[in-house]
Amino acid sequence: MLFGDYPFQGVTGRRRRMKIPQEADDKMNADAEGTDYENQEELEEKTRLINQVLELQHTLEDLSARVDAVKEENLKLKSENQVLGQYIENLMSASSVFQTTDSKNKRKPTKSSKKTDK
């Protein structure tokens, strides 16, 4: 992969060309032939690292969205639990089974429930 083919072009995307003296250009061309393989490896490593960073960013975004969804679901369930708790309290207060008994308010036995010894 050549540097110009590299997918990351920078912020502005503009490139300025500088005038390079001929002898420096010749030296760079000679050095470039020997270091092409090293540059290629560096570019591949940079590309691999950039792809890994992008993948981790996407994973973080997915996890963040999941956390938000779970928080929302948690709030919804808390609200439903409060409604159900209030409903249960209302049912319990309306039912005589859950009422506290006072000694003065005890039910007197009815005639049909009295036992007679005859």
Side-chain angles (χ1 to χ4, degrees), residues 3 8-17:
F3 186 75
F8 183 74
Q9 294 294 321
V11 177
T12 61
R14 293 183 181 178
R15 296 184 188 184
R16 293 187 178 168
R17 294 193 177 255

Side-chain angles (χ1 to χ4, degrees), residues 60-92:
L60 180 61
E61 289 171 357
D62 292 343
L63 289 173
S64 181
R66 177 70 178 132
V67 166
D68 291 341
V70 168
K71 282 182 180 179
E72 186 176 317
E73 181 69 17
N74 186 26
L75 289 174
K76 179 182 171 186
L77 291 173
K78 279 183 180 180
S79 175
E80 288 177 6
N81 281 345
Q82 287 177 342
V83 169
L84 289 173
Q86 186 64 43
Y87 178 72
I88 290 170
E89 285 180 24
N90 290 342
L91 286 175
M92 288 172 54

